């Protein structure tokens, strides 16, 4: 069996993530001894014996829907978001004199990936709804790198998953050089998935038990409040608008 939790595997919370996995494994009564960190995310998600992983909304809608089974969506208690929802924040340098997103028409944006809901698809749609079209787009490979690219003056703006921004603020000194200028509306968060032919109900129940049993310090470190069920069709069709 394969298990991974790659989406928020920041170094500062890796121990908490590993302890979460041990609680999940204990509640399930099965699973690998440790999370897999040796595979790329697409390779991990495609494993026929996938027990548990977490994906992003855009990959789920575009390529994984109908190939994996949705288990549930974690609730991170993010501001202005309902249970199981998240959004993206647009960050700029603190010394940038521009005051609203419409001032960034034609600006240089740093994006983590063209397959990212929170770093690319959702923010681009939100910007277009305000009449904003960005100019150059630089692919950074990670939200942390996108934020750093803006802080270093190599891009004007970046859109970051709000939970990633929370982690970045805690562990990256350059975050003090950045500020939020806008945010997208909320959308269903990053879902937990399992293999297509796997019954998700026992895994959902195990996640509930594991989160409940996880020490409070670890829950706080992961910003993990619980898990909710969001209809797969809602996750498939969710858009920022």
């Amino acid at each position: 069996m394969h298990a991974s939790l790659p989406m928020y595997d920041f170094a500062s919370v890796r121990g908490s993530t590993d302890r979460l996995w041990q609680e999940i494994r204990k509640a399930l009564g099965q699973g690998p001894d440790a999370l897999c960190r040796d595979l790329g995310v697409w390779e991990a998600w495609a494993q026929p014996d996938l027990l548990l992983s977490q994906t992003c909304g855009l990959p789920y809608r575009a390529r994984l829907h109908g190939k994996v089974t949705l288990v549930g969506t974690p609730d991170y208690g993010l501001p202005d978001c309902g249970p199981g929802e998240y959004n993206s924040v647009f960050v700029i340098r603190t010394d940038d004199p521009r005051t609203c997103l419409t001032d960034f028409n034609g600006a240089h944006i740093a994006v983590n990936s063209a397959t990212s809901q929170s770093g690319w698809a959702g923010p681009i749609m939100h910007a277009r709804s305000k009449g904003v079209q960005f100019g150059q787009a630089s692919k950074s490979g990670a939200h942390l790198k996108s934020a750093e690219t803006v802080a270093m003056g190599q891009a004007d703006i970046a859109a970051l998953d709000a939970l990633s921004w929370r982690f970045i603020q805690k562990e990256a000194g350059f975050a003090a050089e950045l500020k939020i200028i806008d945010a997208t509306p909320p959308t269903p968060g990053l879902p937990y998935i399992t293999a297509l032919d796997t019954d998700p109900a026992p895994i959902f129940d195990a996640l509930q038990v594991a989160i409940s049993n996880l020490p409070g310090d670890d829950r706080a470190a992961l910003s993990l409040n619980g898990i909710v069920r969001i209809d797969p069709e809602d996750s498939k069709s969710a858009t920022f608008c």
Side-chain angles (χ1 to χ4, degrees):
M1 291 182 177
H2 284 78
S4 61
L5 293 172
M7 302 312 291
Y8 299 110
D9 200 23
F10 287 86
S12 61
V13 295
R14 186 160 288 185
S16 296
T17 300
D18 287 337
R19 286 186 285 276
L20 172 63
W21 168 245
Q22 292 306 320
E23 291 292 344
I24 297 168
R25 182 171 175 264
K26 185 190 306 180
L28 269 176
Q30 63 174 331
D33 291 340
L35 292 168
C36 176
R37 293 187 170 100
D38 298 331
L39 302 178
V41 290
W42 287 103
E43 186 178 0
W45 297 333
Q47 295 301 309
D49 59 350
L50 178 66
L51 180 61
L52 180 68
S53 191
Q54 187 177 21
T55 186
C56 180
L58 181 56
Y60 177 76
R61 295 198 309 276
R63 291 173 57 180
L64 295 175
H65 187 77
K67 297 180 180 178
V68 297
T69 297
L70 191 72
V71 174
T73 303
D75 175 22
Y76 294 116
L78 294 169
D80 303 317
C81 294
E85 294 181 336
Y86 81 143
N87 65 351
S88 300
V89 295
F90 290 89
V91 298
I92 63 172
R93 290 182 298 281
T94 55
D95 61 359
D96 194 312
R98 288 170 282 192
T99 59
C100 60
L101 188 60
T102 53
D103 293 334
F104 286 81
N105 191 50
H108 180 180
I109 185 171
V111 301
N112 60 327
S113 168
T115 60
S116 172
Q117 175 68 23
S118 58
W120 175 249
I124 292 301
M125 292 179 65
H126 179 66
R128 286 176 181 170
S129 75
K130 295 192 172 188
V132 175
Q133 289 192 324
F134 297 113
Q136 182 180 353
S138 297
K139 294 180 183 178
S140 69
H143 285 300
L144 179 66
K145 291 295 185 182
S146 293
E148 185 177 22
T149 298
V150 176
M152 294 177 65
Q154 297 172 350
D156 299 312
I157 191 169
L160 314 172
D161 158 2
L163 183 57
S164 291
W165 172 236
R166 183 179 287 179
F167 288 132
I168 290 167
Q169 288 177 290
K170 291 179 180 178
E171 66 176 53
F174 63 74
E177 305 297 321
L178 302 172
K179 64 181 179 181
I180 294 174
I181 195 172
D182 203 343
T184 64
T187 194
L190 282 65
Y192 294 125
I193 57 172
T194 188
L196 183 61
D197 296 329
T198 301
D199 181 2
I203 303 174
F204 183 95
D205 293 344
L207 280 160
Q208 281 190 314
V209 171
I211 293 168
S212 177
N213 289 342
L214 194 66
D217 289 348
D218 287 326
R219 288 200 306 273
L222 297 171
S223 295
L224 189 54
N225 290 0
I227 181 172
V228 299
R229 287 186 173 91
I230 295 179
D231 188 278
E233 289 303 314
D234 291 339
S235 293
K236 181 187 176 188
S237 61
T239 57
F240 288 102
C241 55

